[in-house]
Amino acid sequence: MASSFLSLPSLLLFLFLTITSLLVHSSSSKPPRPVHLPRTGRVGFRIGLTCVDHGRNLTKFQLIERSVRRGKLRLERLAELATPTSPSKGIRAPVFSGDGEFLMNFTVGSPAVPVSAIMDTGSDLIWTQCMPCTKCFDQPTPVFDPVKSSSLRNISCTSELCEDPTVFKCDHGCKYLYIYGDESSTRGYMAKDTFIFGDSASIHNVVFGCGVNNQGLGLAEGSGLVGLGRGPLSLVSQLDIDKFSYCLTSMGENKTSQVLFGALADLNYSATSGKTRSTTPLVQNPFQPSFYYVSLKGITVGKTRVRVPKSTRKPNNKDGSGGMILDSGTTLTYLDEDVFGALKKEFTSQMKLGVSKRPGAIGLDLCFDLPTTTDVSEVAVPKLKLHFEGSDLELPEENYMIADSWDGGGGVVCLAMAASSGGLSIFGNIAQQNLLVLHDLEEETVSFTPTQCDQL
């Protein structure tokens, strides 16, 4: 199905054109054009999500430790992506966030082939490994063979989908190269086929990448990746829907989370339902238009407010720094160094436990020793409230504190937050547990509603 790749001279020419076009591409602040698909005729649909470590014989603290390590690598990539390369560092090809913490299952093709792919709100491309695979990682499901799908069609070079020269190359069809921040990559060709999501939601002509050369540890948890970002190739844009949401269950419980599309996204929420909904505007970063940003104005610990400097509340239109990314693929919540320093000081003074001197308690910045005679449930923790633009969100304790009890008594209680550099903040998935996180793309808002996610 896939034709041969470029010869060395042609490849060098392609790289030159790619690098040259990046200057124009990076400086453009125009929103990407959406790719419209015929509507499904359905009110909406949902897809179950499982943690990438689901099924491993690990304790809750071990699961968190693994996800924190992955999250730190993702933080580095997101921080680099959110700020353009300075001239002194030279020019480079575009790099995307990649990886994530949750897998979504669906099928591709006719007959349908099962796919288990990573959900990523920080990128756009949908792709899966395809036969014949010249270089592929092991995956839990059969590799999709496009030759056997009667509904698959290749994307031609004349398609508007193949216009971006920093990603695509016209060579006997629309070829793509996607490089992720940890140097994982997928290379292949663009096609469209029938996807079936959730309970038989059949969507025709979904545009996706057929990856025939894929490598990197960051992608090996599934068979591909589903981008839910704001760009034209994401699943959200292709479905041409106004709303989507997700609801993440408590970490370590091995219960199914949910992502919901269309009219199902807000679960028929009513202001009279008794649930408190916090709504804040989505903010655009012209340097990274695919990310979902919000503006964090301050944080209250107990009764003390920690202010966020105006310079880091929103993305800087001149260099893309600052702002808070709403991200399902990062575990901890990361704050600007100065803001986290003030937050850490408040927690240290208000907690009635001593600061732990044990090095490297899963790499967290602030942990407290739990006495052998004290149960975790007896620990008094100061309340935490986030002040977004236009609304406040008070988090339950499990969304910002992590506890680990040891055999024989004792343990540690840790703050599930850490410092970042460059003014960037990330609202991580521990903080989003048991919240229905609704993205309203027509109103340009995101809402948080307390929800028992395992009961949806």
Side-chain angles (χ1 to χ4, degrees):
M1 174 66 68
S3 60
S4 59
F5 286 98
L6 301 174
S7 63
L8 181 57
S10 298
L11 178 60
L12 292 174
L13 176 60
F14 169 51
L15 290 175
F16 172 77
L17 293 174
T18 296
I19 291 171
T20 303
S21 64
L22 179 59
L23 290 174
V24 177
H25 178 75
S26 297
S27 62
S28 173
S29 60
K30 294 182 179 179
R33 288 182 294 175
V35 178
H36 295 288
L37 287 180
R39 292 184 181 272
T40 64
R42 299 172 61 90
V43 174
F45 63 94
R46 67 173 69 196
I47 306 174
L49 301 173
T50 56
C51 175
V52 295
D53 287 325
H54 177 77
R56 298 179 186 270
N57 187 23
L58 300 171
T59 66
K60 179 177 180 178
F61 209 70
Q62 288 171 332
L63 289 170
I64 292 174
E65 184 176 17
R66 287 172 59 87
S67 61
V68 167
R69 287 173 180 169
R70 290 190 295 263
K72 285 189 173 182
L73 295 175
R74 186 174 173 89
L75 167 68
E76 294 173 3
R77 296 195 290 275
L78 290 174
E80 182 181 8
L81 292 173
T83 306
T85 305
S86 63
S88 62
K89 295 182 180 179
I91 305 169
R92 56 185 170 82
V95 181
F96 304 90
S97 59
D99 69 34
E101 289 296 312
F102 298 93
L103 294 168
M104 55 193 298
N105 298 319
F106 52 94
T107 67
V108 181
S110 305
V113 175
V115 173
S116 181
I118 294 171
M119 179 186 81
D120 183 20
T121 56
S123 63
D124 300 321
L125 183 68
I126 306 167
W127 67 272
T128 187
Q129 297 195 122
C130 291
M131 297 290 290
C133 227
T134 58
K135 188 170 185 179
C136 287
F137 48 81
D138 293 336
Q139 65 177 58
T141 55
V143 177
F144 177 64
D145 189 346
V147 173
K148 296 180 180 179
S149 176
S150 61
S151 51
L152 182 135
R153 300 291 183 271
N154 285 352
I155 300 297
S156 71
C157 287
T158 58
S159 170
E160 65 177 24
L161 297 173
C162 206
E163 289 180 353
D164 184 353
T166 66
V167 176
F168 304 110
K169 172 66 178 178
C170 183
D171 177 31
H172 298 90
C174 183
K175 302 293 177 63
Y176 77 90
L177 171 62
Y178 234 62
I179 301 174
Y180 296 98
D182 60 353
E183 298 185 358
S184 299
S185 65
T186 174
R187 182 195 297 265
Y189 57 94
M190 299 299 293
K192 56 184 177 181
D193 208 335
T194 298
F195 281 47
I196 300 178
F197 299 101
D199 54 348
S200 302
S202 181
I203 317 292
H204 301 292
N205 298 322
V206 175
V207 177
F208 72 106
C210 229
V212 296
N213 189 329
N214 316 295
Q215 50 192 314
L217 295 176
L219 305 173
E221 303 295 344
S223 55
L225 192 144
V226 177
L228 297 183
R230 308 185 75 171
L233 286 172
S234 78
L235 179 61
V236 175
S237 296
Q238 291 197 54
L239 291 175
D240 191 20
I241 54 177
D242 297 330
K243 298 178 181 179
F244 81 96
S245 64
Y246 54 80
C247 202
L248 307 179
T249 57
S250 298
M251 184 171 289
E253 291 187 353
N254 282 330
K255 295 181 179 179
T256 302
S257 300
Q258 300 283 339
V259 56
L260 306 101
F261 298 92
L264 284 182
D266 63 0
L267 296 177
N268 297 319
Y269 172 82
S270 169
T272 61
S273 65
K275 295 181 178 179
T276 301
R277 169 171 285 188
S278 301
T279 301
T280 186
L282 286 168
V283 182
Q284 284 275 6
N285 183 343
F287 293 92
Q288 286 296 336
S290 290
F291 290 161
Y292 297 99
Y293 277 87
V294 292
S295 176
L296 180 67
K297 300 172 65 177
I299 306 172
T300 294
V301 182
K303 295 183 179 180
T304 303
R305 178 150 176 166
V306 175
R307 297 192 177 277
V308 175
K310 289 185 178 181
S311 59
T312 60
R313 291 179 185 177
K314 295 181 180 181
N316 188 311
N317 288 331
K318 294 182 179 180
D319 63 11
S321 63
M324 172 174 266
I325 296 175
L326 182 63
D327 187 40
S328 63
T330 302
T331 303
L332 301 180
T333 291
Y334 289 93
L335 301 170
D336 172 74
E337 288 177 314
D338 292 339
V339 176
F340 180 75
L343 186 80
K344 182 177 179 179
K345 181 179 179 181
E346 281 303 320
F347 264 97
T348 301
S349 66
Q350 295 186 36
M351 289 286 289
K352 304 302 181 183
L353 300 175
V355 175
S356 178
K357 293 182 171 58
R358 294 179 177 86
I362 70 169
L364 296 175
D365 286 42
L366 182 61
C367 291
F368 301 91
D369 286 323
L370 187 66
T372 56
T373 57
T374 303
D375 188 82
V376 172
S377 61
E378 300 172 355
V379 176
V381 176
K383 292 184 177 181
L384 186 72
K385 182 180 291 186
L386 303 179
H387 304 286
F388 293 111
E389 183 74 38
S391 69
D392 299 333
L393 176 63
E394 184 171 326
L395 295 179
E397 288 182 15
E398 74 157 353
N399 288 31
Y400 60 95
M401 298 299 292
I402 302 170
D404 187 30
S405 299
W406 299 328
D407 293 338
V412 289
V413 180
C414 302
L415 181 64
M417 297 183 174
S420 70
S421 58
L424 175 68
S425 297
I426 298 176
F427 192 40
N429 59 50
I430 287 182
Q432 298 178 54
Q433 293 176 116
N434 290 311
L435 293 174
L436 181 69
V437 183
L438 171 66
H439 300 67
D440 189 324
L441 306 179
E442 184 175 24
E443 296 295 329
E444 285 290 315
T445 61
V446 63
S447 301
F448 307 96
T449 306
T451 305
Q452 196 62 39
C453 295
D454 62 347
Q455 296 180 11
L456 293 183

